[in-house]
Amino acid sequence: MKVGDKKAISLLYENYSGALLGVIKKVITDNDLAQDVLQESFVKVWKKGKTYNPEKAKLFTWLYRIAYNTAIDKVRSVTNKTSKEIQIEASNVYKLTTDSLNEDTLDIKRHMSSLDLKYQAVINALFFEGMTQQEASDELEIPLGTIKSRLKIGLRELKKIYNP
């Protein structure tokens, strides 16, 4: 392995893959994921083969540590990935309606009527119906760039009303 002989990795796999898979399965219960981690481990073994020092550790101990650490890394990456995913179903951000706004304190509806209809439609879709710019583009059948321009102009016109 130190000289890059490809037969070495085959011999290692034949002799140690079963034991290392057992080590990995102690950390990862999903069989397919455990097989993937085993493969990743052997790729690391191949890449780090030249650094193995028999005076520091026995071969199996070295292989064990690589497999075990790879399994732990995989669990952490899967956990981090799932914890960072946005749960849109549980969010009320996209469900904002005009009923949830206090129109007594926000007289925006009255002032929006002074805007051109094309600006009203975009602002209404984005702020009162909770659409994204892409969703508004699809719903109103207007190009995305036009949605952005009309939003900018519409907000600028409202700013003139609120902040003369």
Side-chain angles (χ1 to χ4, degrees), residues 7 40 58 80-81 83 89 91 114:
K7 290 181 184 178
E40 286 178 38
K58 292 184 180 184
N80 284 341
K81 184 178 178 182
S83 69
E89 301 84 32
S91 173
S114 67

Side-chain angles (χ1 to χ4, degrees), residues 27-44:
V27 178
I28 298 174
T29 55
D30 181 81
N31 190 47
D32 291 337
L33 190 57
Q35 292 286 342
D36 289 345
V37 170
L38 179 66
Q39 184 176 357
E40 286 178 38
S41 298
F42 274 99
V43 168
K44 287 180 182 180

Side-chain angles (χ1 to χ4, degrees), residues 20-74:
L20 295 177
L21 184 60
V23 168
I24 293 167
K25 282 190 170 186
K26 297 273 185 194
V27 178
I28 298 174
T29 55
D30 181 81
N31 190 47
D32 291 337
L33 190 57
Q35 292 286 342
D36 289 345
V37 170
L38 179 66
Q39 184 176 357
E40 286 178 38
S41 298
F42 274 99
V43 168
K44 287 180 182 180
V45 166
W46 178 250
K47 288 181 179 178
K48 295 179 180 183
K50 294 177 181 167
T51 64
Y52 170 65
N53 184 350
E55 294 174 6
K56 289 185 178 181
K58 292 184 180 184
L59 180 61
F60 181 75
T61 305
W62 184 70
L63 295 171
Y64 173 92
R65 294 304 315 161
I66 291 174
Y68 181 78
N69 290 339
T70 304
I72 294 294
D73 289 346
K74 181 61 76 175

